[in-house]
Structures are given as structure tokens and as C-alpha cells.
Amino acid sequence: MPQHSQIWRPAPQIRVKALGLHWRRGQLLAAEVPNDSGQIKGVRPLGGTIEFGETWQQTLMREFQEELAQEIQIISPPLVLENIFEHEGATGHEIVFCAEISFAKGVFETQDTLTFAEDNGMLCTARWFDLTALDQPGGPALFPTGLKERLYTRTP
């Protein structure tokens, strides 16, 4: 049975990730990132690790199918970020492709919270967040670090 309290550590190698940026009424869909005690330390757009031989676009489509059982459409070129971070004393290093996506019309329009299981069985909660409320003192951070700034400075 999936557990919410599973402890996660970053892999001791460079990982390449693809994350989907879904907006609803000006808010970004992101999954909660807990610390070891279960408190939410930040949020991260949904997506996952690019598998060998897979493009970032294929990864986004696969991850949203696996996690939410939904097809997506990629609607922007990617922002590419290098993310070197620390989580509970362990260092992680990622190259991240972040692209805007859309769901079919009406999908999740009335849901405020989405619950899904990662491939390791860990239960995750995602919801839509106001970008201005993230990376504020006392509030959750937006991961990967630097994404919020890039979203504000992105040119259409």
C-alpha cells in the first residue's frame, strides 16, 4: 500500500528531469515536497526523470499519463535550468526542462487537490498555487530553485 511518509533522498548523480507547467486561473499546479517530518517545505511542478532514449517531451507525456491518467499537450518551448540543491543533508544535481502544458478542456476544473502515487509507491498531493505566495518568508518554496524568477522574466 502506498505511504505518504516515505523518506526520499536525491540520487548521487546528475538527473535530467522534465516538468510540466499547468496554469489554472493564474495559479500553477505543483506537488507538495515534504521534509522528513512530513511538513511541506516547498512545491514542484509535476513531471519526472527522463529515461534513456526518451525525449523530454515523451517524458512529460508519460509522467502525466502514469501519475494522473491524463494526456497533455505541450504548448511552449522549454525553460532549461540547472538545479543543484540540498534535501535533508543530501546534495542533488538536476538539469530540468520546464514547459507549459494543457489538459483537455474541463479536466480537473472543479478539483482543488489531486492525489497520485509515484512509481516508488509514495503518495503525493498536488494543487494550484499562486506564484506570488511561493518563495516568501514562512511559506513554501518553489522548486527547482530559480524557476519563479525565470517564469517572471520569460518572454512569450
Side-chain angles (χ1 to χ4, degrees):
M1 172 151 199
Q3 297 179 355
H4 191 56
S5 60
Q6 203 167 9
I7 293 177
W8 176 85
R9 293 294 180 270
Q13 61 198 29
I14 299 172
R15 304 296 296 254
V16 183
K17 304 272 187 172
L19 302 178
L21 307 172
H22 181 268
W23 300 92
R24 185 176 79 180
R25 295 187 284 280
Q27 295 185 319
L28 178 65
L29 178 63
E32 297 173 345
V33 177
N35 61 21
D36 284 355
S37 64
Q39 294 182 317
I40 304 309
K41 68 183 239 173
V43 299
R44 179 183 185 120
L46 280 63
T49 301
I50 298 174
E51 295 178 357
F52 184 79
E54 189 176 54
T55 66
W56 66 266
Q57 297 97 328
Q58 291 167 329
T59 298
L60 275 181
M61 291 179 194
R62 175 182 51 78
E63 287 286 340
F64 277 85
Q65 187 63 48
E66 288 174 359
E67 294 176 352
L68 300 179
Q70 291 297 319
E71 291 186 14
I72 61 162
Q73 187 161 21
I74 299 169
I75 57 175
S76 77
L79 292 170
V80 180
L81 301 158
E82 182 172 27
N83 184 34
I84 299 173
F85 62 97
E86 189 169 305
H87 177 74
E88 300 290 342
T91 301
H93 190 171
E94 303 170 329
I95 305 300
V96 186
F97 291 82
C98 301
E100 294 191 25
I101 62 155
S102 65
F103 296 117
K105 185 172 176 65
V107 171
F108 303 128
E109 276 300 310
T110 60
Q111 289 178 255
D112 292 329
T113 303
L114 307 176
T115 302
F116 61 95
E118 289 284 358
D119 56 3
N120 64 4
M122 186 173 177
L123 281 180
C124 298
T125 301
R127 52 193 171 93
W128 285 263
F129 291 86
D130 185 338
L131 203 55
T132 60
L134 301 172
D135 291 335
Q136 297 296 324
L142 177 61
F143 302 131
T145 302
L147 177 58
K148 182 177 175 178
E149 180 182 341
R150 291 287 301 274
L151 290 173
Y152 278 133
T153 60
R154 183 177 198 168
T155 54

